[in-house]
Structures are given as structure tokens and as C-alpha cells.
Amino acid sequence: MMTAGEIADRIRTGQVSSREVTEELLARIADDQEVNAVVEVRREYALAAADRADAMVAARGSLGPIGSLHGVPMTVKDCFDVAGLHTTWGNPAFAEHVADRDAAVVERLQRAGAIVVGKSNVHAMLADFGQTANEIYGRTNNPADLTRTPGGSSGGGAAALAADLTYLEYGSDLVGSIRLPAAYCGVYGLKPTNGLVPQRGFQVPGTPYLPSELPNLSTIGPLARTAGDLRLALHATAGPEAPYTYTLPRPRHTRLADYRVGVVLDHPAAPVTSEVGDALSDTIDRLARSGAKIVDNWPDDVDPDEQAEEFGRQVELFFALHANPDDDPGGGSGSGLTLEDVRGLDRRRMAARGRWQRYFEDVDVFLCPTSFTVAFPHGSSTIDGLPYETQVFWIAHAALTGHPALSMPIARTPAGLPIGAQVIGPWHEDDTAITFAELLAG
């Protein structure tokens, strides 16, 4: 299956019609009986949009601008509002909720020419980073092994990409919910710099959107089959809403040999399995042969155990600050946090960001595992003998600081299970991480 960028180029040049591509994708979705990744489609809307895209190509753009994703059918996670489709968050209480307006990210994707054909499955209330299941749509399975998880809570989108049920996907990441599914399904997933993509239309049904400057660990970003497609999606969606404009900073380097790469391949808090460790070691060897400069170990002033623990406290603060006042009239979501606690948490979060930014003055990207393991069997409460929460360790550091971080596939086990590596980049230099991943993939 071609990438989103390749399909857009072929549509723009008349080598294939958007109608043909969209019909083929809708047929694959309809035929899927095993993965259960795409849970709702809008067929007639999608085909009409495809016809309009083809008419614009035939008219050589005289009917309107031809965007970077022109005519490309795609899906979005069932937590983003898409006018006319259900937004359920996997919660039976919202099973009948139909959005009347597109989320900001959906508006931008469609402005770039993408055709949002439907929704991908989520874990109930996005409440699990390792699995995707809910009472409305059931369980999503990993295309590499149907007995295993695709990760969560963006597991539907990652599985859809891996199963050729979509060309592009948009998800969300609070506790690794883009990066972990990407790693477990063998696709690319980007958690952009925090706040880079506007979140209007990404809220629990019935909750009005109110812009907030409170600390927000949750980030929305693309999943794709290549790093180049991540870039296309991010260029289409990044930046504040009108009247402001934004230009994504260019990558620091365009040759792999010019990159200075920090690397950590293992840690006692989340020791990698032998299969993951071997794949990461092979990747570092390949990097060294390319001429890239390898910088071993964590940043000098970063304590990874301390930062992972701090991230857990920050997640508690996140839920306290973003609790629904109607559900929690007293505020604080029962957390017991005091004002001094909140001030201390904010200071520690910003200090952690500052330490990583100083590190990125001399290092371009940081390479480490996305998870210590590959996709595990459905319903697991422990993984390879370790607590379920061990999955969080490797994704916690970029989640704490808000730095851009992506997961990329680097190998498969002998059983065919994908192995992912995580690339963390400098603050607001998302394309530096993307370009590095693109060059590393060859």
C-alpha cells in the first residue's frame, strides 16, 4: 500500500483518481472481519468529496487550491469531532452523540485536501495506554498477531494503518497513546511539541471547548506509514488558530552523518527484552556506520527514575486541573493537591524541560526504546514478568517536558511482531526528529 504522500502525488498528476482510491479503501474497511480498527465511516460523503477532488484536478486547480493531501482518504481517532459522525470516546453514555462541527485538526486536514472517511477505535475514555477496547465497538486486534494488543488508546488508528485500512491517522497522546500503539503495530507515530496542534474539538462530549493556559500534558498528533507522511500531516495541522500564522522550523540537518545522536538502549526501571535490545543495538551500529556522532547515556543532569516518577505526579495534576466542574464541584478531582503542590509541580516540569533543552544545544536527537517489549497478549495485567505500568517509563520523559517524540519501526521479531524505537527532538523542532527518522529508515 502506498503512502499518503505518494497517493496525493498520483492523484494530483492524474495517475489515479481519488474516487478509485477512496472506493478501494472503503471496500477494505467493509471487508475487515478481524482487526476491528475503523468503527464508523461516512461512505457517501467520502465519495462525493473524492469526486470534487478529481474535478479540481481535471480543472487544473481552477476550482480551488490543491493541497498537500489532495484526495487522500484517511481516518481520525474517535475522540475528535467530525460533523455528522459520532464522537463516543468509547463510552456507552456518549453512544448517540453526533458532532455538529469539525474539530480544528479535522478542518485543517480537509483544507489540505484530505478526505476524512471515518473514525478509528479507542480505549474507553482513552483510559489505557496499552490496550484498545470499549463496550460500544469492542476490541481492536493487532494485525501482526490478532491475539495481541495494538496498544492504546490510539490503537484503532495504529492498527488501521498496519492493516491497510487507512492512509493516514490522527490520534492523541497523554501517556504514550500515540507512540506505544505505533511501536506495537509497526507504524510511525508523532507526539508533537506540546500545544503545537490546536485542540478545539478534542473534548469529552457535552463539555464546551474553552481555551486554557493551564498545564496540559495531552497532545494530538499524526500516525502514518512513513516519517514523510508525519511531516505532511504536521505541516497541515500545526500552529495556532487564526488570525495567527505559523511556520514549522526546518530540520537541523538533511544528512544522517551530520546528526549528533544521544542514545540509551536499556534501563533497570524498564529493562528491554532481548529482541528489543538486539534490534536497538543493530540500529545504533547502523547509525555509527553512517557517520553520525553517537553520544552515550542520559543527559548529565537528568535522573531518568526521578523524571519518570515526576511524570506520574504530573498526570495526577493534569486530571485535577482538567476535571469537569459539574462532576467535581469542589475542584481538584479529589487529588488533595494544595496550591503549593501545584506550584512545585509546575516548577519541576519546567526545570525538566530546561535540562533537556540545554542537552539539545549540543545533541540533535535522543534515541531510546519506545517500550521495553513488543505487543503483548490481550488482557495482560503483567508483561514479561513486569508490572503493566512499566510501559510508561520510556515514553514518560518527553511527555513530562513536552518535547516532540516519535516512534518508528526498526525491526520485527522472528514471530513477526514489530519493534519500535523512540526519537525525541528539541522543543518546537519537530521536523528535526522527523527528518532523522526518515533518514534512518533509508
Side-chain angles (χ1 to χ4, degrees):
M1 190 173 181
M2 286 181 287
T3 69
E6 289 168 342
I7 284 292
D9 287 342
R10 287 174 63 86
I11 291 172
R12 280 195 298 267
T13 56
Q15 299 176 61
V16 68
S17 72
S18 178
R19 174 86 183 205
E20 292 170 334
V21 172
T22 303
E23 283 185 330
E24 181 183 358
L25 184 66
L26 290 169
R28 283 199 296 270
I29 293 171
D31 289 342
D32 173 48
Q33 302 296 318
E34 298 181 324
V35 176
N36 189 37
V38 179
V39 293
E40 185 178 16
V41 297
R42 46 179 183 174
R43 178 181 175 81
E44 296 308 316
Y45 171 93
L47 293 177
D51 288 340
R52 289 194 296 273
D54 291 335
M56 291 170 63
V57 171
R60 301 296 182 187
S62 63
L63 299 180
I66 292 180
S68 58
L69 295 169
H70 186 81
V72 177
M74 64 171 292
T75 52
V76 298
K77 186 175 180 178
D78 184 22
C79 57
F80 299 115
D81 286 341
V82 178
L85 290 182
H86 294 85
T87 306
T88 75
W89 287 56
N91 187 337
F94 307 132
E96 302 305 319
H97 177 81
V98 177
D100 59 6
R101 182 183 179 186
D102 292 328
V105 68
V106 173
E107 289 178 355
R108 291 182 173 191
L109 288 164
Q110 293 177 155
R111 195 178 306 144
I115 301 170
V116 177
V117 302
K119 294 283 197 78
S120 59
N121 204 19
V122 302
H123 194 80
M125 293 303 292
L126 319 189
D128 196 326
F129 43 79
Q131 302 179 74
T132 293
N134 60 71
E135 295 180 26
I136 303 174
Y137 300 119
R139 186 181 75 189
T140 297
N141 300 314
N142 192 313
D145 181 342
L146 299 177
T147 70
R148 294 175 182 258
T149 180
S153 62
S154 305
L161 283 162
D164 293 344
L165 302 176
T166 189
Y167 284 100
L168 192 65
E169 167 74 15
Y170 230 89
S172 64
D173 190 308
L174 171 62
V175 187
S177 285
I178 287 174
R179 289 165 288 164
L180 289 170
Y184 295 152
C185 291
V187 297
Y188 290 76
L190 172 70
K191 181 199 81 66
T193 299
N194 274 35
L196 182 58
V197 182
Q199 297 195 6
R200 175 176 55 79
F202 169 48
Q203 61 266 345
V204 175
T207 304
Y209 173 70
L210 295 173
S212 173
E213 294 185 356
L214 293 172
N216 192 347
L217 299 179
S218 185
T219 308
I220 62 177
L223 296 96
R225 204 166 283 108
T226 67
D229 279 356
L230 292 181
R231 184 186 298 108
L232 281 177
L234 191 63
H235 271 287
T237 56
E241 294 203 70
Y244 307 102
T245 60
Y246 176 83
T247 301
L248 194 67
R250 295 176 62 84
R252 291 185 179 184
H253 310 291
T254 56
R255 294 193 321 137
L256 195 58
D258 295 334
Y259 275 83
R260 297 160 296 176
V261 186
V263 299
V264 170
L265 305 186
D266 205 356
H267 191 80
V272 299
T273 64
S274 59
E275 292 174 323
V276 172
D278 289 346
L280 288 165
S281 294
D282 289 345
T283 300
I284 300 307
D285 290 344
R286 185 153 47 89
L287 262 178
R289 289 194 298 270
S290 77
K293 180 182 179 183
I294 306 299
V295 181
D296 285 312
N297 218 334
W298 299 91
D300 289 340
D301 53 356
V302 166
D303 182 330
D305 297 287
E306 180 182 287
Q307 286 201 348
E309 291 178 8
E310 180 61 30
F311 176 61
R313 293 188 286 267
Q314 296 286 341
V315 171
E316 180 184 359
L317 174 62
F318 170 84
F319 284 114
L321 291 175
H322 296 276
N324 187 338
D326 295 334
D327 296 335
D328 181 26
S333 193
S335 68
L337 292 169
T338 67
L339 177 59
E340 187 54 38
D341 291 333
V342 174
R343 291 175 60 194
L345 285 161
D346 187 61
R347 286 195 296 268
R348 292 195 295 275
R349 181 172 62 91
M350 298 308 293
R353 181 183 298 173
R355 286 192 287 272
W356 278 94
Q357 271 304 94
R358 288 192 293 275
Y359 173 75
F360 283 125
E361 291 175 4
D362 298 314
V363 173
D364 298 310
V365 293
F366 183 80
L367 182 68
C368 66
T370 306
S371 176
F372 72 98
T373 188
V374 295
F376 47 89
H378 289 297
S380 298
S381 56
T382 60
I383 307 165
D384 295 314
L386 295 173
Y388 189 79
E389 292 74 19
T390 306
Q391 295 174 83
V392 177
F393 176 82
W394 290 106
I395 60 87
H397 310 288
L400 169 66
T401 64
H403 282 85
L406 65 83
S407 182
M408 63 176 294
I410 56 170
R412 287 184 179 259
T413 69
L417 297 175
I419 298 171
Q422 183 177 203
V423 181
I424 302 174
W427 182 257
H428 273 296
E429 294 185 64
D430 300 59
D431 204 5
T432 290
I434 294 170
T435 298
F436 171 79
E438 189 173 38
L439 294 168
L440 181 58

